[in-house]
Amino acid sequence: MSKMMRENTDSEAFFQKYTISEEIMTRLESVREALKDDIAQANPMWKIIAGQNKEEICSESEDSDNTDEPTDNSESQIMCATDQSVPLQSTQFYFSQVERVAEPEKSATVALPQKCDILECACENLERNNGRLDFAQLESLSDEDLVPLVDEMREKLSLKGIYNLCLSMSDMTIEQKMKYINTFCTHILLPKIVELEEPSRLLSSAIVECIKIFPDEVQQFIFVPILNTELKDITLVTTIVNTFDQERKAILLEEFLACVQEMKLWHISILQNFLSIRLDHNMTDKVIKLFSEKALNYSKDKNFGKLVLSFLKVNTALSEEQKSIMTEVAAVNETLFKKPIESILSKM
């Protein structure tokens, strides 16, 4: 066995990256004997196992260069390259090596602020004198997280905080308006207006500032949704109507007539603010229909009687059908405005 190991000293030098057990070396001896008869057809490396010197192998390769095709040079080049200790291919001689790929280092993740921290910081900033909301704090929130946070913000903020929020909204960029204004109007301003039991100068001032910057959004997200709610104080709705110019008021009246499902007592005061608008035939029909539906319910209400009288003074060109309906409204009225209403109708 020791003799065989000495004969394969050169082989061990070649396979310096590998360790072959004695049992395998014994098996290779039988392979060497089997290859003696037809060793030229085997891989040149097996010649080493068969006992030939590397110098002889290289010389044979050089001789074959003169007779073989140019493409055969690759084999001799591989043999000579082994003398220069060039690293072997990982799959050569049926030994497989798994290439180890270094795993990239995981970059340290920056912890995002928690929702509770964002909420506390936002409310604290808004409750300060001249406080403003830093919208950058909200950028990490998804739409699903933003709405609950805004709902909690509404519960925590005082009227002063709401006022500062409106001023903050006035300074928003276009991108921020597109992302946040619907949520703030729907989940903060609208509920606050509905909850009010008495006039608020701060909130009125805040709404006026909002109308100056984004009137369409105030109309869409505050004025229209509030029409079918029960209001305890209508100061802010009146402020919204009166802040818009005459052209915009006509649009608000169209929205009012299209959206109101049932005339409420607080609608009477709002309609008073629309009397200066010139009505077309279709709009006049809708107003008269509202009067007719509630004529009996509000027959003793002075504000309703006054509204009907004011309407007839402004809109004197009624059709026969419209005049007939208004005559029925006047007939059930029990206020001091009954006779003036009937007098105007009789002169039409």
Side-chain angles (χ1 to χ4, degrees), residues 196-237:
L196 276 181
E197 297 184 2
E198 56 185 19
S200 169
R201 293 177 59 187
L202 273 177
L203 206 50
S204 294
S205 299
I207 293 295
V208 170
E209 292 299 322
C210 290
I211 292 174
K212 292 178 181 178
I213 306 300
F214 35 86
D216 293 338
E217 287 76 8
V218 173
Q219 174 185 325
Q220 180 181 357
F221 300 126
I222 297 179
F223 179 76
V224 172
I226 212 171
L227 292 176
N228 291 303
T229 62
E230 296 292 344
L231 292 182
K232 298 176 181 178
D233 181 81
I234 65 168
T235 305
L236 282 175
V237 182

Side-chain angles (χ1 to χ4, degrees), residues 38 71 81 97 99-100 126 188 193 196 205 226 231 262:
D38 196 12
T71 55
Q97 298 177 350
E99 184 178 357
R100 299 180 64 183
L126 289 172
I188 293 185
I193 295 174
L196 276 181
S205 299
I226 212 171
L231 292 182
E262 179 185 17

Side-chain angles (χ1 to χ4, degrees), residues 134-153:
D134 183 6
F135 290 98
Q137 296 175 335
L138 308 179
E139 292 179 357
S140 62
L141 298 175
S142 63
D143 293 340
E144 292 76 12
D145 292 332
L146 178 63
V147 172
L149 182 137
V150 172
D151 286 335
E152 292 185 49
M153 188 183 298

Side-chain angles (χ1 to χ4, degrees), residues 250 253-254 257 278-287:
L253 178 57
E254 290 178 359
L257 296 175
R278 186 179 183 86
L279 305 181
D280 58 28
H281 182 80
N282 184 46
M283 295 173 70
T284 302
D285 269 345
K286 291 181 178 180
V287 173

Side-chain angles (χ1 to χ4, degrees), residues 250-263 267 271 279-294 304 307 311 315 318-319 321-322 325-326 329:
I251 298 175
L252 293 183
L253 178 57
E254 290 178 359
E255 294 280 10
F256 179 94
L257 296 175
C259 297
V260 168
Q261 301 169 357
E262 179 185 17
M263 187 175 179
H267 289 158
L271 284 173
L279 305 181
D280 58 28
H281 182 80
N282 184 46
M283 295 173 70
T284 302
D285 269 345
K286 291 181 178 180
V287 173
I288 292 176
K289 181 181 178 182
L290 290 176
F291 290 163
S292 176
E293 290 174 348
K294 289 295 181 178
F304 179 75
L307 174 63
F311 171 79
N315 299 276
L318 300 182
S319 66
E321 182 181 358
Q322 292 170 343
I325 296 174
M326 290 304 299
V329 171

Side-chain angles (χ1 to χ4, degrees), residues 48-73:
I48 297 176
I49 299 175
Q52 293 188 20
N53 294 330
K54 288 187 289 183
E55 291 79 3
E56 296 176 0
I57 297 172
C58 288
S59 63
E60 290 177 4
S61 299
E62 292 174 357
D63 294 339
S64 63
D65 289 343
N66 298 326
T67 57
D68 295 341
E69 294 295 329
T71 55
D72 295 334
N73 291 338

